[in-house]
Amino acid sequence: MTAMLSIGDLARATGVKPTTIRWYEQEGWLPPAARTEGGHRAYGPAHLRRLGFIRHARELGFQSAAIRALLDLASHPEADCSQAHDLATAQIRDIDDRLRRLSALRAELERMATSCAGGVVGECRVIETLADFGHGHCGDPEHGAMPRA
Amino acid sequence: MTAMLSIGDLARATGVKPTTIRWYEQEGWLPPAARTEGGHRAYGPAHLRRLGFIRHARELGFQSAAIRALLDLASHPEADCSQAHDLATAQIRDIDDRLRRLSALRAELERMATSCAGGVVGECRVIETLADFGHGHCGDPEHGAMPRA
DNA sequence: CCTTGAACCTCCAGCCGCTGGAAGTCCCAT
DNA sequence: ATGGGACTTCCAGCGGCTGGAGGTTCAAGG
């Protein structure tokens, strides 16, 4: 018989905090743990694996619905895995999207920062760029960069 | 006198929903709007600029504290802009970080997806990789990939 | 065996950044 | 004048946790 793990052991093993583990149980992400005589939660390797699965999937940016789907799949080992494959490739597309957008943001920030001459806020490109909400077309050029409140 | 804008006009002009605009006012991100006789909010160009600033900064991923700081700076046009520059470069570093992590995730997902032979969930690399919470070192290899609940 | 103090328990409230609904009022084109 | 959209306020709820209060249990050291 494998030694039972306390919630703290599980937390250390997976990097998920005890409070979060309890919350996962509450929300049905984890099945209820066994209890010791005194009422403390006692976990086995199955919980460890499932929690690791969840944490890993979250780290990879899967949406909760996708994680639920993957967990469902995982508990039916005889089923076809094309769905899992689809979920993973959807996730890749999503990440590609985010990478693209982040790069664009980076480029804009870079432009902002490098064109800041270090003078006075009134002429600061960082502020001006942000105020330029029309994306390159300033709606009201005769006013200063910003309202005072 | 510039025509006053209704909250809906402002929403259309900036892409921020009316409810969100009201919430920004509530939380002090925007100064209270003027009112018509009947109590409807009436905005001028200053609000338009400030709201655009906020939206743009949020799109660029600035934290709320950073946005507040930028707004403060923007309302003191005679101040030194080095703080704005610092905030922008901090933001760039943050984005670089996120880009790095996203690329790593992408690589892992790619590995998962390409090694999925399309068979049965029991042998699916996608599921297995996720269950492999130890990051390449499986804690309990004699068990199946996943607990059933 | 007893003590101590860390870890655990439950319950509940709060965080951020909005979003939506209900119920009522206003504005303006026809 | 009227109809229906846009507006008003208030309040509750979302996801994904996090933290505190107040009480109990566990395990190591004496």
Side-chain angles (χ1 to χ4, degrees):
Chain A
M1 171 76 192
T2 318
M4 282 299 185
L5 301 166
S6 74
I7 197 170
D9 296 334
L10 199 59
R12 275 181 292 280
T14 60
V16 177
K17 293 182 191 173
T19 37
T20 307
I21 295 174
R22 283 185 211 107
W23 178 79
Y24 279 160
E25 178 177 323
Q26 177 118 330
E27 299 300 301
W29 290 96
L30 286 178
R35 298 296 182 125
T36 64
E37 289 251 313
H40 287 196
R41 286 173 181 80
Y43 297 95
H47 280 96
L48 188 52
R49 274 194 305 278
R50 193 176 170 105
L51 181 53
F53 186 103
I54 293 167
R55 197 215 50 181
H56 202 168
R58 294 209 72 80
E59 277 174 359
L60 289 172
F62 282 94
Q63 316 267 43
S64 55
I67 299 180
R68 299 245 189 219
L70 286 167
L71 285 168
D72 273 2
L73 285 173
S75 62
H76 297 292
E78 73 291 355
D80 180 48
C81 83
S82 61
Q83 277 183 65
H85 187 263
D86 289 352
L87 285 167
T89 55
Q91 193 57 25
I92 290 174
R93 257 180 283 116
D94 196 85
I95 286 190
D96 281 343
D97 229 56
R98 287 198 271 165
L99 282 170
R100 252 192 303 282
R101 276 178 300 161
L102 272 182
S103 308
L105 295 188
R106 214 213 105 101
E108 183 165 2
L109 284 164
E110 188 81 32
R111 254 183 289 122
M112 275 167 64
T114 59
S115 60
C116 170
V120 130
V121 167
E123 293 113 38
C124 180
R125 284 296 306 157
V126 172
I127 303 283
E128 277 175 32
T129 304
L130 287 171
D132 191 7
F133 53 85
H135 285 130
H137 142 277
C138 187
D140 205 347
E142 95 260 26
H143 288 79
M146 280 294 299
R148 3 190 68 266
Chain B
M1 169 82 191
T2 318
M4 283 298 184
L5 301 166
S6 73
I7 198 171
D9 296 333
L10 200 60
R12 275 182 292 281
T14 60
V16 178
K17 293 183 189 171
T19 37
T20 307
I21 296 175
R22 283 185 211 106
W23 178 79
Y24 280 162
E25 178 178 324
Q26 176 120 330
E27 300 299 302
W29 290 97
L30 286 177
R35 298 298 182 123
T36 66
E37 290 251 313
H40 287 197
R41 286 173 181 80
Y43 297 95
H47 280 96
L48 187 53
R49 275 194 303 280
R50 192 177 170 104
L51 180 53
F53 186 103
I54 293 166
R55 197 215 48 181
H56 202 169
R58 295 209 73 80
E59 277 174 359
L60 290 171
F62 283 94
Q63 315 268 45
S64 54
I67 299 180
R68 299 244 189 220
L70 287 167
L71 285 168
D72 272 4
L73 286 173
S75 61
H76 298 293
E78 73 291 354
D80 181 46
C81 83
S82 61
Q83 278 184 63
H85 187 265
D86 290 353
L87 285 167
T89 54
Q91 194 55 24
I92 290 175
R93 256 180 283 119
D94 194 84
I95 287 192
D96 281 344
D97 228 57
R98 287 197 270 165
L99 282 170
R100 250 192 304 282
R101 274 177 300 161
L102 272 182
S103 308
L105 296 188
R106 213 212 106 98
E108 183 164 4
L109 284 164
E110 188 81 33
R111 253 182 290 124
M112 275 167 64
T114 59
S115 60
C116 170
V120 129
V121 167
E123 293 114 37
C124 181
R125 283 296 306 158
V126 173
I127 303 282
E128 277 175 30
T129 304
L130 286 173
D132 190 9
F133 53 84
H135 285 131
H137 142 276
C138 189
D140 205 344
E142 95 261 28
H143 288 78
M146 281 294 300
R148 5 190 67 263

